[in-house]
Amino acid sequence: KNEVEQSPQNLTAQEGEFITINCSYSVGISALHWLQQHPGGGIVSLFMLSSGKKKHGRLIATINIQEKHSSLHITASHPRDSAVYICAAPRDTGNQFYFGTGTSLTVIP
Amino acid sequence: KAGVTQTPRYLIKTRGQQVTLSCSPISGHRSVSWYQQTPGQGLQFLFEYFSETQRNKGNFPGRFSGRQFSNSRSEMNVSTLELGDSALYLCASSLNYGTSGSYEQYFGPGTRLTVT
């Protein structure tokens, strides 16, 4: 069993739709990370959150530590949001992570 | 502030050769982590360096090695390349070394290695 599970694996949406990506983890953590990877490979760290909710532009991340569950929401989706979104739960030491398999999002104009 | 840079961006090698990849972290960042990404296995942790010392190592064979210099720049080396080593190699820098991923990671653009 993977320590970090993401759903869905693939997601296609129409421009303007509200999108939700879910992440469940089985390890005890202090903070969960959401990453975005565009075609071409570059990875950007979107959020690092340990409780509640964080918002950055049209992106919102929530976490429930007790239920070991986090969600990434995208409001008013746009084709430039098309990317792979990865959640990552840190291991006990250092900056290494358990990674989810990623959610590939395609937003159609 | 300049981001994380990796060189080279693309590399083609043949089986049996060795390769060295370079990563320059964000100025002031002292921790560098390396990851391998393949379509089949996803992102996998290779190793992490802090203060020129390897702090953590993932489950990879000894053919994979790395080092960090006093200016925090890091290199990773893969010897006796195999076809399965074809992957995107990403490095990420963090301000410091901590516990439980407490520091945000900043990723470089990656080096795409193809082994033929």
Side-chain angles (χ1 to χ4, degrees):
Chain A
K1 185 186 184 299
N2 293 331
E3 289 81 0
V4 179
E5 300 276 0
Q6 272 185 254
S7 63
Q9 283 195 350
N10 297 285
L11 187 53
T12 301
Q14 289 291 133
E15 183 173 356
E17 282 186 14
F18 181 85
I19 288 162
T20 296
I21 300 169
N22 294 301
C23 176
S24 296
Y25 53 92
S26 57
V27 292
I29 63 169
S30 58
L32 187 92
H33 298 238
W34 280 100
L35 312 172
Q36 179 193 56
Q37 185 173 32
H38 278 286
I43 291 180
V44 174
S45 177
L46 295 175
F47 294 103
M48 183 176 76
L49 69 165
S50 55
S51 65
K53 180 168 78 172
K54 282 190 175 180
K55 186 174 187 286
H56 182 69
R58 294 179 295 104
L59 273 60
I60 303 167
T62 64
I63 190 168
N64 185 318
I65 293 289
Q66 287 75 28
E67 294 185 5
K68 297 189 175 181
H69 182 268
S70 177
S71 293
L72 177 67
H73 306 284
I74 305 175
T75 62
S77 59
H78 190 277
R80 64 174 173 267
D81 297 326
S82 298
V84 176
Y85 293 84
I86 303 166
C87 71
R91 296 180 186 237
D92 290 338
T93 59
N95 292 305
Q96 54 181 317
F97 295 91
Y98 297 104
F99 292 100
T101 53
T103 295
S104 180
L105 171 66
T106 303
V107 181
I108 300 170
Chain B
K1 198 182 261 192
V4 179
T5 58
Q6 289 187 246
T7 56
R9 294 291 310 279
Y10 303 91
L11 204 49
I12 300 175
K13 292 284 190 179
T14 55
R15 273 182 301 176
Q17 287 186 312
Q18 75 160 16
V19 67
T20 299
L21 312 181
S22 181
C23 172
S24 293
I26 290 172
S27 178
H29 283 196
R30 300 166 64 197
S31 173
V32 174
S33 298
W34 287 90
Y35 301 89
Q36 182 197 65
Q37 187 178 37
T38 59
Q41 299 293 323
L43 270 166
Q44 292 186 285
F45 170 76
L46 279 158
F47 25 65
E48 178 179 11
Y49 285 88
F50 177 77
S51 291
E52 302 176 63
T53 302
Q54 187 180 91
R55 299 294 174 142
N56 297 291
K57 190 177 194 304
N59 190 24
F60 279 82
R63 299 185 297 107
F64 292 81
S65 63
R67 59 177 174 168
Q68 186 181 35
F69 302 95
S70 58
N71 61 359
S72 294
R73 189 177 72 85
S74 178
E75 288 181 346
M76 68 163 279
N77 184 276
V78 188
S79 62
T80 320
L81 284 165
E82 301 177 359
L83 295 178
D85 297 332
S86 294
L88 180 68
Y89 290 88
L90 293 151
C91 82
S93 75
S94 299
L95 188 62
N96 218 327
Y97 178 83
T99 57
S100 300
S102 50
Y103 290 95
E104 189 168 357
Q105 293 215 311
Y106 296 83
F107 286 82
T111 294
R112 190 165 295 280
L113 172 66
T114 302
V115 182
T116 62

